[in-house]
Amino acid sequence: MDQRLTVHDPRGYPPKVTAKRLAPRKETLEGKLIYLVDCLFDNSDVFMDQMRQWFAEHLPAVRTQIVRPGSLREFTPSKSWADDPEMLAKIRADGDGAILGVGL
Amino acid sequence: MALETAGVPAVAVHAPIFEGVARSVAQMNGMPTTRQAFVPQTIMGRTPVELRAFLERNDPVSKRPLMQEIMEGLTGPLTEEDLKGVSFERTTPRLLEPDTEERLHELFIKNSWTDFLPIVLPTEERVARMLSGTSHPPDEVVGRLRPTSGREYWEFTVEKVAVNAVMAGARPEYLPVILALAASGMSARSSSTTSFATISLVNGPIRKEIGMNCGIGALGPYNHANATIGRAYGLLSQNLQGGSVPGDTYMGSLGNWYAYSATIAENEERSPWEPFHVQHGFKSEDSTVSTFLGGWYTQALFGTRDTWEQKLRHCLTACEPYLAPLLVLDPLAARGLVERGLETKKKLINWCAENARLTAREYWDNPWTQTLIRPLALAGVEPYATHLEAAPDEMLRMFRNQDINVVVTGGETTSAWRMIGASYRGNTISIERWR
C-alpha cells in the first residue's frame, strides 16, 4: 500500500462574508432621478449616452443624468474608478437608482 | 453594491464573458442577488449605432429584453433572498487529509493550486525546514492580497508563505526575499483583462548570499534562486489571495509568460550607474526587492552604433503609452551609453522621456489612455490635463520622467538591451525585515 503523506493547505485565510440586503425598490421611476454611471472603460461614455437617449425616447418621465468618477488621482488595478467617494456621495444624496456600466 | 447598502437601487451592466465573475463577486460580498444585466457583446470599439442596437436586443443571459431587465432590476419587488443576503464563514485548514503522493498531486492540480508545472508537496517536515529561513514566528500575519478591486482581501501568515515557497522548490535561505514579496501588497496574479504580470528586482548583498544570477542568462532559467523565488511569488499570490482561476479570479485575455517566473537581480558590480535601490533611498548595503507591474511588451535593441538614437526613439514610440518601459541593459550596453554622454541613469531616463513622443491623436486613440489616464486628465492631474487640450497633431511626451526605470543586468557577451512594459509604483521592500 502507498505511503500516505500529510501536507499543508496552501491557501490563505478568506474573510467572513456578511449578508447585505438590497435597497428598497420604488414601484415606479416616473419623475425619479436615475444616475447613469460611466465606469470609464473604453466606450462606456458612448454606451451611457445611448442609454440616456433611450430613456428620453421611451421613458421621458424618468430623469437621467450621466455621472463619472472624478475625484481619484491615480489608478491601480486594486482600486476601481467606481469606488470614487465623491461620485458615490452624489448618487446617494439624490439618486433614486443607478445603472452602472460597462464592466467590460 | 456600495450603492445598494446605502439605499440606492442599482443594476450593473456587463459583457457576457464577465457573468461568472460578476456572480462570484456578488456572492462574496454577501449580496448574491445583486441585479446584473448583460449586453450582447463587449462594447469596446463599437459605434454609437451598434451600442444603441445592443439596448434594443435581449440580454444574452436572461434571454429577455435588456432594458426590461434593467428597469425591473430597479423597480421589481424584492424577494426574501434579496432582503436577507447571505452570510458564511470559510476556513482553510492548516493541513489536508493524509493521502498518497500521487493523489495529493492530483488534488493540487484539480484545485488550481499550482502553475501546472510539477510542485514539491509541502509536507510538515519541508515547511518546518523552510521556516528555518526566517526568525519570524509561523503564525505572524504577513499581509493581505486580492486579485482585483471588487474582490475581498485574503490574509496570510509566515507559515502560509513558507508552504508556497516549498511548492515552488525554493530553499530556506530564499525565504526572506519571498516574505518581502508577499508583504509588498502587490499580487503577481492580477486579474486585469490586460494580462499584467509582476516582475521583481533584487538588490543588495543578499543577491550574492543566496547565489542569484545577474550574469550570463540573467533573465532566463539558469539559476535556482532566480527561478524559484519568482515562481514562489506567483504561487503564493494565487493561493493566498483566493485564487487565480480563468473566468473567475483571473480575466487576462491572453495571459502572460512573465507570470511563470520573473525575478531578476541587478548586476551592481558591473554597472556604471548606481543600483536601483540606492536610487530609491536605500543604502548600497541594504538588501531589497522591488516590484514592477506590467510585462505587456518586450522589445530588443543591441549596442550603441551610429543610429542608436533613432532606434531607441522607434522602440519608445512603439511602447504602450499607458505603460512606461523598464529598460534592462547589459553592462556593455550601459557603458556604451556612458561613452555617448549618458553618465547616469537619470540622464538616460531624461533622454527617453524627452524623445518618446506621439501625436495627441495617437496618444488618446488607445483603450488604456482612455480608460486609465483620461479620468486623471479630466480631474485636472498634470501633465494629462494639458495633454487632453492638445491639438490632434501636437507631439506629446508619452511618459513622465519618473515613469521610466533602468536596471543593469547580464553577462557581457553582447551589448544587449530589453525594453519591457513595466510600471514601478514606489514598491521597494527591505528584505532585512524578514530575515
Side-chain angles (χ1 to χ4, degrees):
Chain A
M1 188 172 133
D2 286 337
Q3 187 192 351
R4 293 166 84 82
L5 301 175
T6 299
V7 304
H8 283 263
D9 186 310
R11 293 171 295 171
Y13 300 108
K16 182 185 174 189
V17 173
T18 306
K20 300 177 191 77
R21 54 160 292 167
L22 296 193
R25 266 52 184 168
K26 296 188 166 63
E27 283 184 15
T28 174
L29 294 180
E30 243 177 73
K32 308 294 185 209
L33 174 61
I34 302 299
Y35 278 105
L36 307 178
V37 181
D38 169 6
C39 291
L40 301 177
F41 282 111
D42 192 26
N43 230 16
S44 290
D45 54 344
V46 183
F47 179 80
M48 281 304 170
D49 192 53
Q50 290 302 314
M51 189 172 281
R52 181 189 61 75
Q53 290 180 39
W54 187 94
F55 273 100
E57 289 167 25
H58 294 272
L59 296 169
V62 178
R63 294 181 294 137
T64 59
Q65 187 177 330
I66 293 176
V67 62
R68 298 182 176 88
S71 67
L72 296 179
R73 291 295 179 270
E74 62 169 333
F75 173 82
T76 67
S78 61
K79 287 181 186 165
S80 164
W81 292 129
D83 295 332
D84 179 3
E86 283 183 18
M87 182 188 73
L88 294 177
K90 179 184 171 74
I91 297 170
R92 277 197 292 262
D94 60 355
D96 297 299
I99 301 168
L100 298 89
V102 173
L104 288 178
Chain B
M1 279 167 272
L3 289 170
E4 290 279 2
T5 50
V8 181
V11 176
V13 183
H14 309 277
I17 192 75
F18 290 86
E19 184 194 356
V21 177
R23 306 267 184 234
S24 168
V25 168
Q27 174 85 3
M28 295 310 164
N29 278 283
M31 202 182 276
T33 60
T34 299
R35 301 298 192 255
Q36 322 261 10
F38 297 88
V39 288
Q41 293 166 36
T42 304
I43 65 164
M44 202 178 272
R46 299 285 172 179
T47 65
V49 172
E50 289 171 323
L51 294 177
R52 178 54 185 264
F54 281 6
L55 297 177
E56 310 287 355
R57 288 168 60 182
N58 278 357
D59 175 324
V61 175
S62 69
K63 316 289 186 204
R64 302 169 65 233
L66 174 61
M67 288 309 295
Q68 184 183 338
E69 191 76 11
I70 290 173
M71 293 304 294
E72 289 181 10
L74 292 173
T75 57
L78 298 182
T79 66
E80 198 176 318
E81 206 184 351
D82 294 328
L83 296 172
K84 177 165 84 172
V86 61
S87 291
F88 56 93
E89 285 205 59
R90 294 165 287 172
T91 58
T92 48
R94 183 165 175 266
L95 300 171
L96 299 172
E97 287 295 314
D99 211 333
T100 64
E101 184 175 354
E102 189 180 348
R103 278 203 292 269
L104 284 168
H105 276 295
E106 285 169 7
L107 178 73
F108 274 62
I109 289 170
K110 177 170 155 278
N111 288 340
S112 297
W113 291 342
T114 77
D115 53 11
F116 299 97
L117 297 172
I119 55 144
V120 177
L121 287 172
T123 62
E124 290 178 279
E125 296 76 15
R126 287 170 181 153
V127 172
R129 201 177 316 128
M130 181 61 68
L131 286 165
S132 71
T134 183
S135 61
H136 290 256
D139 60 352
E140 180 180 332
V141 172
V142 176
R144 51 189 206 146
L145 288 170
R146 61 179 178 175
T148 186
S149 65
R151 286 276 173 192
E152 72 283 15
Y153 277 110
W154 286 40
E155 195 174 77
F156 47 87
T157 59
V158 168
E159 184 174 79
K160 289 288 189 181
V161 175
V163 168
N164 283 275
V166 168
M167 290 167 60
R171 295 175 181 150
E173 56 267 35
Y174 312 160
L175 187 59
V177 185
I178 297 166
L179 283 165
L181 284 166
S184 70
M186 172 85 86
S187 172
R189 293 281 191 270
S190 161
S191 174
S192 166
T193 56
T194 63
S195 305
F196 280 126
T198 305
I199 296 161
S200 52
L201 168 71
V202 179
N203 278 104
I206 198 157
R207 295 166 305 127
K208 298 295 176 193
E209 288 170 30
I210 63 176
M212 292 188 78
N213 177 29
C214 53
I216 293 174
L219 306 189
Y222 302 105
N223 178 273
H224 192 269
N226 295 36
T228 59
I229 289 170
R231 188 185 187 206
Y233 185 26
L235 290 176
L236 75 86
S237 293
Q238 68 184 56
N239 289 327
L240 303 181
Q241 73 182 8
S244 184
V245 177
D248 183 11
T249 40
Y250 184 76
M251 294 303 288
S253 194
L254 287 175
N256 199 313
W257 284 313
Y258 282 108
Y260 279 110
S261 182
T263 295
I264 58 178
E266 190 157 28
N267 194 338
E268 298 171 19
E269 292 74 15
R270 299 293 299 161
S271 170
W273 298 322
E274 64 182 352
F276 187 85
H277 67 317
V278 174
Q279 288 177 265
H280 292 277
F282 288 85
K283 295 176 186 157
S284 58
E285 61 267 30
D286 293 334
S287 290
T288 64
V289 64
S290 306
T291 57
F292 300 83
L293 185 68
W296 286 359
Y297 58 81
T298 306
Q299 304 188 60
L301 299 91
F302 292 91
T304 44
R305 297 170 69 99
D306 288 347
T307 58
W308 71 273
E309 289 174 304
Q310 289 92 320
K311 284 175 185 153
L312 185 50
R313 273 193 206 99
H314 292 155
C315 283
L316 288 164
T317 308
C319 293
E320 267 289 320
Y322 171 68
L323 194 60
L326 167 65
L327 275 63
V328 181
L329 290 94
D330 185 271
L332 286 178
R335 287 203 289 278
L337 287 170
V338 170
E339 288 164 13
R340 301 275 181 164
L342 300 174
E343 297 95 348
T344 62
K345 281 185 179 176
K346 190 176 176 189
K347 280 193 173 180
L348 173 58
I349 288 167
N350 291 349
W351 191 97
C352 291
E354 180 58 36
N355 285 277
R357 288 179 183 266
L358 277 184
T359 62
R361 181 186 295 107
E362 288 176 281
Y363 180 88
W364 289 115
D365 186 29
N366 178 292
W368 307 117
T369 55
Q370 283 292 321
T371 300
L372 306 175
I373 294 181
R374 189 165 171 269
L376 301 176
L378 292 170
V381 178
E382 293 294 356
Y384 314 120
T386 302
H387 282 8
L388 203 55
E389 301 299 317
D393 290 327
E394 187 177 332
M395 298 301 287
L396 302 182
R397 286 168 67 132
M398 295 169 68
F399 309 114
R400 302 174 303 173
N401 296 45
Q402 64 264 38
D403 296 330
I404 299 170
N405 293 285
V406 176
V407 168
V408 176
T409 195
E412 302 179 63
T413 60
T414 191
S415 178
W417 308 42
R418 291 289 181 274
M419 192 179 283
I420 303 167
S423 164
Y424 173 67
R425 294 160 192 256
N427 215 350
T428 296
I429 306 108
S430 167
I431 292 169
E432 312 302 337
R433 148 117 179 68
W434 292 103
R435 286 190 189 267

